[in-house]
Amino acid sequence: HELASLSSIVDDDGAIDADEMMRRLLAAHEVAVTTALAVLPVAERAHDLATADLLGQRMGAHQKAAWMPRSTLGS
């Protein structure tokens, strides 16, 4: 699967406990924020305000959603 290799989020490969699920969920949110941060300068250099705005909104949504697994894990 060529497209699967483009993802930086690892698919689940079986049954996991709740703590591991929360760790993976937190890691996925962090990957999404990191990826958006990496793309943001490209959009800004291209003066693509719509993409820059979308990236900012997505980063905010993922940062906000990360509180749940972070608080559950006590991080």
Side-chain angles (χ1 to χ4, degrees):
H1 299 166
E2 187 175 319
L3 291 179
S5 67
L6 297 177
S7 177
S8 50
I9 297 174
V10 179
D11 285 333
D12 182 15
D13 57 359
I16 57 175
D17 66 19
D19 284 343
E20 181 61 19
M21 180 181 68
M22 287 294 145
R23 280 191 286 279
R24 290 183 186 188
L25 181 58
L26 178 57
H29 284 301
E30 290 172 343
V31 165
V33 171
T34 300
T35 301
L37 278 171
V39 175
L40 187 57
V42 176
E44 289 173 340
R45 281 193 305 274
H47 305 287
D48 185 348
L49 300 179
T51 299
D53 182 55
L54 177 63
L55 288 167
Q57 290 177 39
R58 295 312 314 151
M59 283 188 292
H62 283 287
Q63 289 167 334
K64 183 177 179 180
W67 79 265
M68 167 68 130
R70 192 172 286 120
S71 67
T72 299
L73 293 168
S75 302

